[in-house]
Amino acid sequence: MIAALVLLWTAVLGAASPSPPRLRFSFQELQAQHGLRTFRLARTCCYEALLVDEERGRLFVGAENHVASLSLDNISKRAKKLAWPAPVEWREECNWAGKDIGTECMNFVKLLHAYNRSHVLACGTGAFHPTCAFLEVGHRPEEPVLRLDPRRLEDGKGKSPYDPRHRAASVLVGEELYSGVAADLMGRDFTIFRSLGQRPSLRTEPHDSRWLNENKIREWR
């Protein structure tokens, strides 16, 4: 009996030639064969900020003029969408400065961090007026919440870039935010900021790229 099972197993292995591993799949293949689910916000773009919140079972997404809260189980269901455009006066000022009102003078959300058990910190370009907000996201995964109090907006300079084309990197350590970002409108002064928390805000020396290339970072922290 054992010999027969061994022969059968050998025959099966011999008949099934292993296929080489796939490193790439087309979007159409993923949709057809792998149960791919998609989500898209109407009339928006630039999904640059992503925050996975396993405790609430949510995926927070920052985009142009919007923040979305999606279910980790199925992003196409129980989605919450929050419109967060730049104020009209900021858009007009941005346009007067020579920027394109349709592609640049928007609020591109660049940063999302879990701040505490009930709020997420979000920062965006604000039509070249960087701004931040604490979004209420609730406590329990079965009752997803996504709210913004327009009266509690904060200055986003040193947290989000001015220009939507510029990237930013950040990490939240306790209640302190460390951000690597362009600190000026022209994108010439890239620096590291420490903000929020109880200690005074601090930044690396203006226009001194050695701060990003030498060992001064450890001394500064």
Side-chain angles (χ1 to χ4, degrees), residues 139-213:
H139 296 275
R140 295 179 294 181
E142 61 271 17
E143 297 179 5
V145 177
L146 188 61
R147 283 193 289 260
L148 180 150
D149 186 348
R151 299 167 298 179
R152 296 188 60 192
L153 298 179
E154 296 197 0
D155 188 353
K157 296 181 181 66
K159 306 177 185 73
S160 170
Y162 290 79
D163 194 318
R165 294 171 296 182
H166 293 159
R167 295 186 178 182
S170 60
V171 60
L172 191 67
V173 182
E175 294 184 348
E176 292 183 331
L177 179 70
Y178 293 83
S179 306
V181 68
D184 62 335
L185 281 165
M186 302 303 294
R188 296 172 180 168
D189 182 19
F190 285 88
T191 186
I192 296 176
F193 279 86
R194 185 189 72 201
S195 58
L196 303 179
Q198 301 299 318
R199 295 189 289 178
S201 297
L202 187 66
R203 59 155 292 170
T204 50
E205 294 291 339
H207 305 285
D208 187 354
S209 62
R210 292 177 301 168
W211 281 91
L212 304 180
N213 299 322

Side-chain angles (χ1 to χ4, degrees), residues 13 52 57 116 143 186:
L13 289 179
V52 176
N116 56 30
E143 297 179 5
M186 302 303 294

Side-chain angles (χ1 to χ4, degrees), residues 56-174:
R56 297 181 183 85
R58 308 297 291 178
L59 171 66
F60 296 99
V61 182
E64 176 192 0
N65 294 335
H66 289 85
V67 176
S69 171
L70 313 177
S71 170
L72 286 178
D73 294 329
N74 186 342
I75 63 172
S76 62
K77 293 182 179 180
R78 300 177 67 213
K80 293 282 185 178
K81 294 170 283 185
L82 173 67
W84 187 19
V88 174
E89 57 269 25
W90 289 3
R91 296 193 65 209
E92 291 176 347
E93 183 180 337
C94 173
N95 188 227
W96 293 336
K99 306 299 181 181
D100 189 287
I101 197 167
T103 59
E104 296 176 290
C105 300
M106 305 286 186
N107 184 30
F108 294 86
V109 179
K110 293 283 189 174
L111 179 155
L112 291 171
H113 284 293
Y115 186 73
N116 56 30
R117 293 181 61 85
S118 59
H119 287 78
V120 163
L121 172 66
C123 298
T125 59
F128 285 76
H129 290 76
T131 185
C132 295
F134 291 98
L135 309 181
E136 183 183 355
V137 295
H139 296 275
R140 295 179 294 181
E142 61 271 17
E143 297 179 5
V145 177
L146 188 61
R147 283 193 289 260
L148 180 150
D149 186 348
R151 299 167 298 179
R152 296 188 60 192
L153 298 179
E154 296 197 0
D155 188 353
K157 296 181 181 66
K159 306 177 185 73
S160 170
Y162 290 79
D163 194 318
R165 294 171 296 182
H166 293 159
R167 295 186 178 182
S170 60
V171 60
L172 191 67
V173 182

